[in-house]
Amino acid sequence: MAVSHSPASDVSPTSEPLLVLFTEAPERSALLSELHGLLASASAEAPLPERLAWLERLVRWLRAGGAVPSRRGLLAPVESAGSARLRLLVEVLTQVPVWREAVRDVVSTSLAETSALRLLSEPGLSTGRGLLGDLVARLGQRLVPAVADERELAPWVWRLLPGAEDGAWLEELSEEHVRALHTLLGADCFAPLGTSVEDAVAVLAARASALGLAGDVLSRLPPAPLAHSAFVQLPRACEALRVAVRGGASEQVLEREREACAEVIARCHAARRAVLHHLHAHAVDTDLVYRLELLGQLLERLEALLWLLAPDEAQRLPCGAVRLLASLVRAHARGRSIAGLFRGSVRCISRRIFEHTGEVGRHYITTSLDDYHRLVGAAAGGGLLTAGTAAFKLLIGFAALPLFFQGLAASANYAFSFLLIQVLGFTLATKQPSMTAAALAASLDVKAGDTGMRSLVAHLASITRSQLASVFGNLGAVVTTATFVGIALQALRGQSLLERHEAEYVVRSLHPFRSGTLLFAALTGVLLWCSSVFGGWLENWVHYRRVPEALARHPGVIHLLGEARARRLGTALARHACGLGANVSLGVLLGMTPVLGQFFGLPLDVRHVTLSAGTLTFAGAALGPEW
């Protein structure tokens, strides 16, 4: 056979069966030539870094794209590029025993001289430093990457398969070709991984047990003897399975131990769900939710490793190992994400804040004529008090106080006014949308059909009527009150609250088109939403820490107020915590935002509708009826 101009001309005598393959198709011949050079360089006697580098080149060859013809020059109709190259590798190793032995030796010695413990037990799992600690650690890894240990298998895998798309590539590999490669290399080639799997099972079981036995977890579970806890029994059950596997126990014994582990892990999952249900029903703590998310991930990883340690079907072991590696690659990619760190834990507390805010928002929605009249009266009371707030705002603004004290005085003015409005049962129209929006969002989860849509439309109409009632009540009361106060000051003092140049400045600053009023109003809307979020968070925190009960039982509070008043104080805090947090935070945000803007040289200001109407009315009273 003339092969002088063929890539097969460089083939060694030990690879004579490949000569037939090289002459079948040009594309296949080029791939085989590339693979020949790669396999011929495999050496189990090379230093470990060189062997790992060779394995990296082999995997990169498998990862390379492009069509791979079959032996007849045809493409498999549904075969991915990775599976096609894996099929080609299996064919070549089947044809050339020398290369098969070389690849087996390289893989087995590399696995024997490295540890896969970190690879199996760390990807995507926190190290127990808490939410803030893990955030700092992930930021630190991005700024200063950790130095890789050549005796660890994990850094090599992450360098080779760094992203989630690499996990998808692994899952696309043909199970038939994966099993064929495993058979060619032999089970003994991957035997060193068994020790790492056993160690990882012990580590994960201990970590899951420690998380499940934390005090804040046990306090939210039904009372029971600690010896009956699934988290106490979990390490014992896993160790029993490890001992059975290591001792070569019969299939009946292994099946019994597998079922015992599965039953304990299922109880751990049930306990975790019970704690989450308790948090959703009462109050949420971000760090606890984060640890519960971690606990769920530990249990899932432990289930996968236990199956790998003692598979129920031996023929499924290679494919199961590849799927586990794919999940580890995806978990490692998630473990580097800053957003993914907060996604699970923040979701729960966001839901709880949303529920707290929605409960407050339902009080602002009228469903009857009496409720409508009551809301108009409450809004009028809010407008009456806001007129005083607007007057003090003008006095503070033109008092030429130092910057910090100006913001502090403005914040105290706003916060005191908002708290007084809450205590007296009055309302402000500008505060309602941030609360009623949560109630509206909750009502969107309606049943399909005309009935659900009619209910949603009726709810929207009630919210619109309620908002209009508050707007009319607020503006009518604040304009009327400010006008009478301005006239009274003019009659009693002979001058208005503002000087003429001050009043002209107020009018110019509130002009809708010649100033930044519209942008400032949008910014104020954002601040209102932030205050509602803080109010919901404070109520959640008060209930989680059981502050009302602590106040009711505090010896100092009881000595000062008496037992009955201490209980009433705790009850009042539980009922008004959301409003307290929202009002105080809104006062600070409205008062300090303009000050911070001036400090940093930014043109920032706030435009609260009712307050702006009051200040504009005071300016109009100072300038006269023609204005």
Side-chain angles (χ1 to χ4, degrees):
M1 180 182 297
V3 294
S4 58
H5 300 290
S6 168
S9 59
D10 296 330
V11 177
S12 63
T14 58
S15 57
E16 290 180 359
L18 287 178
L19 295 177
V20 177
L21 299 179
F22 276 122
T23 60
E24 291 179 354
E27 299 87 352
R28 184 178 174 88
S29 177
L31 283 174
L32 285 170
S33 177
E34 184 179 353
L35 182 59
H36 161 253
L38 183 61
L39 295 178
S41 63
S43 173
E45 299 178 356
L48 178 61
E50 294 183 12
R51 277 174 280 152
L52 292 177
W54 182 88
L55 288 172
E56 184 174 349
R57 292 197 302 272
L58 178 61
V59 175
R60 292 195 184 281
W61 181 86
L62 291 171
R63 289 293 317 272
V68 180
S70 65
R71 295 188 62 176
R72 296 181 180 180
L74 302 176
L75 293 176
V78 292
E79 193 175 38
S80 66
S83 291
R85 287 181 174 246
L86 181 61
R87 167 174 50 81
L88 187 59
L89 175 64
V90 169
E91 291 177 5
V92 171
L93 294 182
T94 303
Q95 293 285 338
V96 188
V98 174
W99 288 351
R100 181 169 67 246
E101 295 298 327
V103 172
R104 177 188 297 133
D105 292 342
V106 169
V107 173
S108 62
T109 55
S110 299
L111 292 179
E113 296 177 26
T114 56
S115 171
L117 176 61
R118 292 181 57 191
L119 173 66
L120 298 172
S121 62
E122 289 187 4
L125 303 178
S126 165
T127 55
R129 290 169 290 200
L131 183 60
L132 183 59
D134 281 348
L135 172 62
V136 174
R138 293 190 185 188
L139 290 174
Q141 288 175 359
R142 292 196 173 190
L143 296 175
V144 184
V147 178
D149 184 357
E150 67 176 16
R151 295 295 174 179
E152 288 286 344
L153 196 59
W156 177 77
V157 174
W158 305 147
R159 186 175 68 250
L160 192 59
L161 306 170
E165 65 277 3
D166 300 298
W169 172 79
L170 287 170
E171 290 183 334
E172 290 175 357
L173 295 178
S174 168
E175 294 186 1
E176 177 185 355
H177 302 331
V178 170
R179 285 194 295 267
L181 181 62
H182 181 266
T183 302
L184 282 173
L185 299 182
D188 293 340
C189 178
F190 303 95
L193 289 176
T195 302
S196 297
V197 172
E198 293 182 9
D199 294 341
V201 166
V203 170
L204 295 178
R207 292 188 61 192
S209 176
L211 288 174
L213 294 176
D216 49 0
V217 174
L218 293 177
S219 63
R220 286 164 176 81
L221 291 174
L226 192 60
H228 297 168
S229 172
F231 297 107
V232 172
Q233 299 171 0
L234 179 63
R236 302 172 184 171
C238 294
E239 181 62 25
L241 180 58
R242 289 179 61 203
V243 171
V245 171
R246 185 173 296 179
S250 63
E251 185 59 34
Q252 292 79 7
V253 175
L254 290 178
E255 181 66 23
R256 183 174 67 250
E257 298 298 340
R258 278 197 297 262
E259 292 178 355
C261 287
E263 189 270 337
V264 173
I265 292 176
R267 288 168 53 201
C268 291
H269 278 299
R272 172 181 169 273
R273 288 192 297 269
V275 176
L276 282 173
H277 179 74
H278 184 279
L279 291 176
H280 291 159
H282 295 85
V284 175
D285 177 68
T286 306
D287 186 67
L288 178 55
V289 172
Y290 180 64
R291 284 184 280 124
L292 291 174
E293 292 282 340
L294 172 61
L295 176 58
Q297 296 168 2
L298 286 170
L299 293 174
E300 292 174 359
R301 180 73 54 80
L302 187 59
E303 287 178 303
L305 291 181
L306 286 174
W307 184 90
L308 201 63
L309 182 65
D312 49 2
E313 296 182 22
Q315 63 271 21
R316 293 170 51 200
L317 181 60
C319 300
V322 172
R323 286 194 298 270
L324 174 62
L325 179 59
S327 68
L328 294 175
V329 170
R330 288 194 300 270
H332 175 69
R334 289 195 307 269
R336 295 178 298 168
S337 170
I338 302 299
L341 178 66
F342 291 93
R343 189 172 294 116
S345 54
V346 174
R347 185 193 309 118
C348 294
I349 195 168
S350 299
R351 173 184 173 184
R352 191 59 189 160
I353 289 173
F354 162 79
E355 291 173 351
H356 282 311
T357 308
E359 290 172 2
V360 176
R362 293 186 186 95
H363 298 297
Y364 293 115
I365 301 175
T366 62
T367 56
S368 65
L369 187 60
D370 291 339
D371 290 340
Y372 184 84
H373 291 158
R374 176 187 55 78
L375 188 58
V376 171
L384 179 65
L385 291 178
T386 306
T389 309
F392 281 109
K393 174 193 175 188
L394 292 172
L395 293 175
I396 294 170
F398 292 109
L401 296 173
L403 202 57
F404 172 77
F405 291 101
Q406 178 183 339
L408 185 63
S411 300
N413 178 39
Y414 292 139
F416 179 77
S417 174
F418 296 151
L419 288 175
L420 189 59
I421 289 173
Q422 179 187 0
V423 170
L424 296 178
F426 297 153
T427 61
L428 276 178
T430 46
K431 290 177 57 181
Q432 284 182 214
S434 60
M435 304 291 182
T436 55
L440 174 62
S443 68
L444 293 178
D445 188 16
V446 296
K447 296 180 180 179
D450 294 338
T451 303
M453 185 57 64
R454 283 197 297 269
S455 175
L456 178 60
V457 171
H459 197 63
L460 282 169
S462 298
I463 292 177
T464 304
R465 284 195 302 268
S466 304
Q467 192 64 45
L468 290 175
S470 296
V471 170
F472 294 147
N474 282 166
L475 295 183
V478 73
V479 170
T480 303
T481 305
T483 302
F484 279 118
V485 170
I487 294 174
L489 288 175
Q490 184 72 32
L492 295 175
R493 298 174 52 195
Q495 63 179 15
S496 299
L497 181 68
L498 300 175
E499 299 291 339
R500 186 173 184 83
H501 70 278
E502 294 174 344
E504 291 176 352
Y505 171 78
V506 169
V507 173
R508 286 195 304 271
S509 66
L510 294 175
H511 195 285
F513 306 117
R514 299 176 184 174
S515 68
T517 293
L518 296 179
L519 293 177
F520 298 154
L523 174 62
T524 305
V526 175
L527 298 181
L528 286 162
W529 174 79
C530 292
S531 69
S532 69
V533 171
F534 182 81
W537 173 85
L538 181 63
E539 182 164 2
N540 175 79
W541 183 86
V542 164
H543 285 85
Y544 180 79
R545 299 297 178 183
R546 302 179 67 181
V547 177
E549 293 91 333
L551 284 177
R553 299 173 184 177
H554 194 282
V557 177
I558 294 175
H559 178 74
L560 183 64
L561 301 178
E563 188 174 349
R565 291 180 179 177
R567 283 198 302 269
R568 285 199 295 270
L569 177 62
T571 303
L573 178 61
R575 185 169 62 250
H576 298 294
C578 183
L580 177 65
N583 288 323
V584 173
S585 62
L586 179 59
V588 173
L589 290 172
L590 294 180
M592 285 297 182
T593 297
V595 170
L596 290 176
Q598 294 181 48
F599 181 81
F600 289 105
L602 300 175
L604 294 181
D605 207 341
V606 293
R607 291 293 184 267
H608 190 282
V609 174
T610 312
L611 281 169
S612 297
T615 54
L616 189 62
T617 303
F618 280 118
L623 295 172
E626 68 276 7
W627 279 75

